[in-house]
């Protein structure tokens, strides 16, 4: 099982040789492709051979490219994540409104529960409000408890003047972490043979990652905790490394200790089982100790 997140942050040439990614810098190093879960090309001063990209795609490695500011800007997604993709997509189109609403209810409930646990860690009284919101959630979150909880949650964490639209280091760090989560979840969606454009709740015609936007929600508090702990005055290379490390954070899922990237894999697979079998009890959420 792949587990490594590889970041190329300096000028380099990347090519392929006999099952290895060869990194040519001042020194030459090799990394077994079977070990790589995610490759992040963090600088534009990198050249990559098509042979390497082809092999990485075959192995379902998520490849993220960054812009001149070293922020994620695009990714490489294979056309075919599973041999039976056509059948999977037909099933995806047929998912009923009821099962999608039921799964979304579970996702929202778990997200707010994780947010409440996060506030409890910091001994914030607003945690009690989120606990109440959980009891008020209706089918499909028709009363938008998620939105109400988010406002209370972020104001408690980062201050009453904080908004998610502000241009500051906190939002830069949050956005970076969320983009990593979105990319990791979209990788699993594609790998399982589904398409990211068709969500169960999100349905923005301009968002090609609607389903990933749905499924990533319970993992957002992991990023929030990291950013709150860092409290970055600036958002630079060191802070990015700290946020990137969340993919290797150990959590519990299915009664086993797993790193976060594997937990995302297990969780996404359980979501698809729940949607296809009309049974939300099949969903496996992660648990962690803050």
């Amino acid at each position: 099982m792949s587990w490594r997140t590889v970041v190329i942050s300096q000028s380099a040439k990347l090519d392929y040789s006999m099952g290895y990614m060869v990194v040519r810098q001042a020194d030459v190093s090799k990394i077994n492709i079977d070990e790589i879960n995610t490759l992040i090309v963090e600088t534009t001063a990198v050249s990559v051979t098509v042979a390497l990209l082809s092999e990485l795609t075959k192995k379902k490695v998520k490849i993220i490219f960054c812009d001149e500011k070293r922020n994620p800007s695009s990714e490489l997604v294979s056309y075919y994540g599973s041999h039976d993709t056509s059948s999977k997509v037909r099933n995806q189109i047929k998912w009923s409104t009821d099962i999608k609403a039921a799964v979304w209810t579970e996702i929202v409930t778990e997200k707010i529960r994780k947010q409440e646990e996060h506030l409890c860690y910091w001994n914030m009284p607003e945690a009690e409000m989120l606990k109440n919101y959980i009891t008020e959630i209706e089918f499909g979150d028709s009363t938008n408890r998620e939105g109400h909880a988010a406002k209370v949650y972020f104001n408690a964490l980062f201050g009453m003047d904080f908004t998610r639209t502000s241009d500051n280091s906190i939002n830069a760090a949050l956005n970076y972490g969320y983009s990593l989560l979105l990319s990791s979840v979209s990788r699993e969606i594609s790998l399982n043979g589904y398409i990211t454009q068709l969500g169960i709740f999100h349905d923005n015609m301009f968002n090609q990652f609607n389903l990933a936007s749905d499924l990533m929600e319970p993992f957002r508090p992991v990023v929030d905790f990291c950013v709150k702990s860092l409290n970055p005055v600036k958002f630079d290379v060191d802070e990015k490394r700290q946020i990137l490390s969340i993919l290797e954070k150990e959590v519990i899922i299915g009664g086993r200790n797993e790193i976060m990237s594997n937990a995302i894999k297990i969780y996404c697979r359980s979501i698809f089982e729940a949607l296809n079998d009309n049974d939300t009890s099949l969903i496996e959420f992660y648990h962690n100790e803050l």
Side-chain angles (χ1 to χ4, degrees), residues 73-250:
S73 61
S74 62
E75 60 185 46
L76 185 61
V77 180
S78 61
Y79 280 136
Y80 307 105
S82 173
H83 69 282
D84 56 350
T85 292
S86 296
S87 175
K88 295 284 186 64
V89 172
R90 283 195 292 270
N91 287 338
Q92 183 176 1
I93 294 171
K94 293 178 182 177
W95 290 338
S96 71
T97 300
D98 283 347
I99 187 57
K100 288 192 290 186
V103 169
W104 179 244
T105 304
E106 294 298 318
I107 288 174
V108 168
T109 302
E110 186 64 20
K111 176 186 178 181
I112 299 176
R113 182 177 294 114
K114 291 288 194 295
Q115 291 174 328
E116 183 256 327
E117 291 173 355
H118 187 191
L119 294 186
C120 282
Y121 176 87
W122 299 106
N123 296 315
M124 294 180 173
E126 291 86 352
E128 193 63 31
M129 293 181 65
L130 267 62
K131 187 178 295 185
N132 291 333
Y133 283 145
I134 293 173
T135 65
E136 297 171 357
I137 293 176
E138 297 182 7
F139 188 69
D141 191 29
S142 58
T143 57
N144 193 27
R145 294 299 94 182
E146 181 201 15
H148 291 291
K151 179 174 176 55
V152 172
Y153 174 71
F154 281 112
N155 285 154
L157 281 182
F158 302 117
M160 294 302 295
D161 294 332
F162 177 82
T163 65
R164 282 288 290 126
T165 57
S166 300
D167 183 11
N168 55 46
S169 59
I170 296 293
N171 274 321
L174 291 173
N175 291 338
Y176 186 81
Y178 294 158
S179 68
L180 293 176
L181 286 180
L182 183 70
S183 181
S184 297
V185 172
S186 66
R187 172 186 186 272
E188 298 306 322
I189 292 170
S190 176
L191 189 148
N192 279 278
Y194 299 95
I195 56 178
T196 60
Q197 290 88 344
L198 297 180
I200 60 175
F201 175 76
H202 290 83
D203 62 353
N204 189 322
M205 65 182 292
F206 302 110
N207 181 7
Q208 62 177 316
F209 300 110
N210 282 314
L211 186 55
S213 298
D214 292 326
L215 270 54
M216 69 178 282
E217 295 292 355
F219 293 89
R220 286 180 181 267
V222 177
V223 173
D224 303 336
F225 177 78
C226 183
V227 174
K228 173 66 175 176
S229 300
L230 284 173
N231 191 26
V233 175
K234 61 176 183 176
F235 185 59
D236 213 333
V237 175
D238 291 340
E239 288 77 15
K240 288 181 179 180
R241 293 290 180 273
Q242 290 293 319
I243 292 175
L244 184 60
S245 69
I246 66 173
L247 295 177
E248 298 175 3
K249 174 182 173 66
E250 193 170 274

